[in-house]
Amino acid sequence: MTSQPTLTKADDGPGSPGGTGDPGSGGGLQAGLKNRHLSMIAIGGVIGAGLFVGSSSGIATAGPGILLSYALVGTLVVLVMRMLGEMSAANPTSGSFSAHADRALGRWAGFSIGWLYWFFWVVVLAVEATAGAVILEGWVPAVPQWAWALIVMVVLTGTNLVSVGSYGEFEFWFAGIKVVAIGAFIVIGGLAVFGVLPGVDSEQAGLSNLTEHGGFLPNGPGAILTGVLLVVFSFMGSEIATLAAGESEDPQRAVTKSTNSIIWRIGVFYLGSILVVVSLLPWDSESIQDKGSYVAALDSLGIAHAGQIMNFIVLTSVLSCLNSGLYTASRMAFSLGERGDAPKAFARTTARGVPRTAILVSVVFGFVAVFFNYKFPDSVFLFLVNSSGAVALFVWLVICFSQLRMRKIIQAEAPEKLVVKMWLYPYLTWATAALIVFILGYMLTDTEHDGRKTVLLSLLVAAVVLAIAVVRQKLGSGQDREQERERERDEVAAG
């Protein structure tokens, strides 16, 4: 890697629409995502199944103070997305932060974070497929759980193989259902909190729940940081819009719009819905732990079949995450293939601009992970989950360091492309990186929620991938030098 990496144009960079891809590959990725697809992908990307399923443990740990945990992580995500938006608006690419790290920090960085991110999502495929299968088996017990997992994976693989527009259309409706559901929950719950919802028994609802039952921080200020550890991973997925932008009609506009709207998306969907939950019910209510925070909140409003309604919403979120996970993993594999950091076959596309090999390889590893989940849930699969758990924080940290360098590169070579700028650069970037390192360090002290195990195993996998990257780069440098010497010898012989 040279000391001054150069920017490529948005229309000829790796993974960009109209890019050449691999020779004979079908022409590279295509701009098959419409603006409405990108808008809904951006909105739905921050609403994961973890918000509905995992928030109850955070509430039990921090009480109403979990709002501060969500606000802290939300602020972190907003800052990281601002940095990523700055780089992606200047050079939209399917490799997103991996491609930016490649240019800014070196090939070793792009290789390492790209493969770690791919690993994270293929494990997520297994987690989400199993979660969806559990719900579907409850509705149709005649079909075994493993069969439901297989059906879900096959169907969504099929949609991804058809075209990027097919993925976008499915995600548009999956995300739309999530957005409508959580929006309705906030409106109805908010009316109940203020006592203006007719025909609903909500005697225990009210803003007083935020300060009663032990106060706003019943378990002390330290619980806020513990809450951060429990909620931080539910925010993973907000970066998907920057990967998808490379296949949109107007990549720069799509990235700019998704980056600028991240604040209200997190504010409304995360903070707004959690505020409604802890206002409708006392934080220490047994129903929150027994039924889950959102089901308990719906039950408190007297809404019939609250559990099944929430199961449907969670299933939609699971399918959305599965759909996006397969898309994201395949596009990262495609980008790695184009940059020579993965087999060239990964960069080949069909006539419709679909990286078929990258999709199939990703889903095969997803199937393998599903198998491990059923056969070795407490050993092999647990290792996979824990060893990929801290990848989100690694990705965010790499984005910070990449942006510190890329800002200088963009200013030197194409300052007109700085349509999105990180606030208070470089001070806020360094502060964000420091906060991420602090969270990783704090996780090493967490033995109750497996934080230490997650960080250590994730670091182990990262170290292995990094070692491979360094060895590859050294071998590549040696080959480059040998080729240069051969050219010099040829020139001397010709002279």
Side-chain angles (χ1 to χ4, degrees):
M1 194 67 191
T2 61
S3 59
Q4 277 296 318
T6 58
L7 291 172
T8 56
K9 296 179 181 178
D11 58 354
D12 63 7
S16 58
T20 58
D22 194 66
S25 67
L29 301 179
Q30 296 178 4
L33 292 175
K34 300 178 181 178
N35 288 331
R36 65 181 179 89
H37 292 154
L38 261 294
S39 296
M40 198 57 75
I41 289 170
I43 294 173
V46 297
I47 309 174
L51 173 63
F52 301 109
V53 179
S55 55
S56 56
S57 58
I59 293 172
T61 298
I66 194 65
L67 287 167
L68 297 180
S69 301
Y70 273 104
L72 184 60
V73 179
T75 301
L76 180 63
V77 172
V78 167
L79 295 174
V80 170
M81 281 299 295
R82 187 74 183 182
M83 299 177 218
L84 183 55
E86 176 181 296
M87 296 184 289
S88 295
N91 185 30
T93 167
S94 63
S96 188
F97 50 84
S98 175
H100 303 322
D102 193 303
R103 292 190 185 92
L105 305 177
R107 191 167 181 178
W108 63 269
F111 176 95
S112 301
I113 205 63
W115 277 114
L116 284 174
Y117 191 69
W118 179 86
F119 171 59
F120 170 85
W121 278 111
V122 294
V123 173
V124 167
L125 292 180
V127 173
E128 300 297 339
T130 303
V134 169
I135 296 174
L136 289 167
E137 185 188 30
W139 291 344
V140 187
V143 179
Q145 192 179 119
W146 66 266
W148 277 122
L150 180 64
I151 291 169
V152 166
M153 290 275 276
V154 168
V155 169
L156 292 181
T157 300
T159 64
N160 275 265
L161 285 172
V162 172
S163 68
V164 67
S166 176
Y167 154 73
E169 199 62 34
F170 267 75
E171 190 57 25
F172 176 82
W173 292 105
F174 285 152
I177 292 172
K178 288 191 296 184
V179 170
V180 170
I182 203 166
F185 173 81
I186 292 172
V187 171
I188 294 173
L191 292 174
V193 168
F194 291 103
V196 294
L197 189 66
V200 172
D201 179 17
S202 55
E203 294 180 0
Q204 57 183 342
L207 294 176
S208 59
N209 283 324
L210 298 176
T211 53
E212 295 179 356
H213 309 281
F216 186 71
L217 296 172
N219 296 324
I224 297 173
L225 290 177
T226 305
V228 165
L229 305 185
L230 296 174
V231 306
V232 66
F233 303 109
S234 65
F235 283 83
M236 192 66 168
S238 54
E239 72 290 334
I240 292 176
T242 63
L243 280 91
E247 295 175 82
S248 67
E249 298 167 340
D250 187 350
Q252 190 178 76
R253 177 178 176 273
V255 169
T256 303
K257 187 176 180 181
S258 65
T259 301
N260 291 336
S261 64
I262 187 72
I263 297 176
W264 73 260
R265 285 185 277 135
I266 289 177
V268 171
F269 297 123
Y270 276 86
L271 293 179
S273 63
I274 294 297
L275 176 60
V276 168
V277 170
V278 294
S279 298
L280 285 175
L281 290 168
W283 70 271
D284 54 357
S285 172
E286 292 183 2
S287 62
I288 291 180
Q289 292 304 304
D290 294 341
K291 303 176 183 179
S293 52
Y294 287 83
V295 173
L298 291 175
D299 270 342
S300 74
L301 298 177
I303 296 178
H305 309 294
Q308 292 303 322
I309 292 173
M310 191 50 59
N311 273 339
F312 173 74
I313 296 171
V314 171
L315 178 63
T316 303
S317 296
V318 163
L319 295 177
S320 171
C321 189
L322 231 174
N323 193 38
S324 289
L326 182 54
Y327 170 83
T328 304
S330 65
R331 269 31 177 206
M332 185 57 72
F334 170 85
S335 178
L336 289 166
E338 278 213 323
R339 287 179 272 143
D341 291 333
K344 289 183 178 180
F346 285 18
R348 296 195 184 105
T349 58
T350 65
R352 289 175 172 265
V354 175
R356 181 166 52 200
T357 303
I359 291 175
L360 292 177
V361 170
S362 299
V363 81
V364 164
F365 275 87
F367 278 127
V368 170
V370 169
F371 171 77
F372 285 144
N373 192 13
Y374 284 107
K375 287 294 184 180
F376 313 104
D378 299 322
S379 53
V380 180
F381 187 71
L382 187 61
F383 170 81
L384 292 176
V385 172
N386 285 331
S387 61
S388 64
V391 168
L393 293 170
F394 295 165
V395 167
W396 295 347
L397 194 59
V398 167
I399 289 173
C400 291
F401 291 128
S402 297
Q403 190 266 337
L404 286 169
R405 183 86 191 280
M406 281 296 289
R407 167 65 75 89
K408 297 176 181 178
I409 297 170
I410 299 171
Q411 285 177 326
E413 300 182 5
E416 71 280 1
K417 290 186 176 182
L418 273 176
V419 293
V420 176
K421 289 186 179 181
M422 175 59 183
W423 306 295
L424 298 177
Y425 168 85
Y427 309 108
L428 206 47
T429 302
W430 280 111
T432 305
L435 179 57
I436 295 170
V437 172
F438 173 77
I439 292 174
L440 285 168
Y442 189 77
M443 286 180 70
L444 289 173
T445 68
D446 175 40
T447 55
E448 183 179 355
H449 304 100
D450 288 335
R452 177 184 295 176
K453 183 185 297 183
T454 296
V455 172
L456 291 177
L457 288 178
S458 296
L459 284 173
L460 173 63
V461 172
V464 171
V465 175
L466 183 59
I468 294 172
V470 172
V471 170
R472 287 183 79 259
Q473 185 164 329
K474 286 185 177 180
L475 290 176
S477 298
Q479 292 173 353
D480 290 341
R481 286 193 295 270
E482 183 61 31
Q483 290 173 359
E484 182 63 30
R485 283 194 290 268
E486 287 181 5
R487 280 195 295 269
E488 290 175 356
R489 287 194 294 267
D490 291 342
E491 289 174 0
V492 170

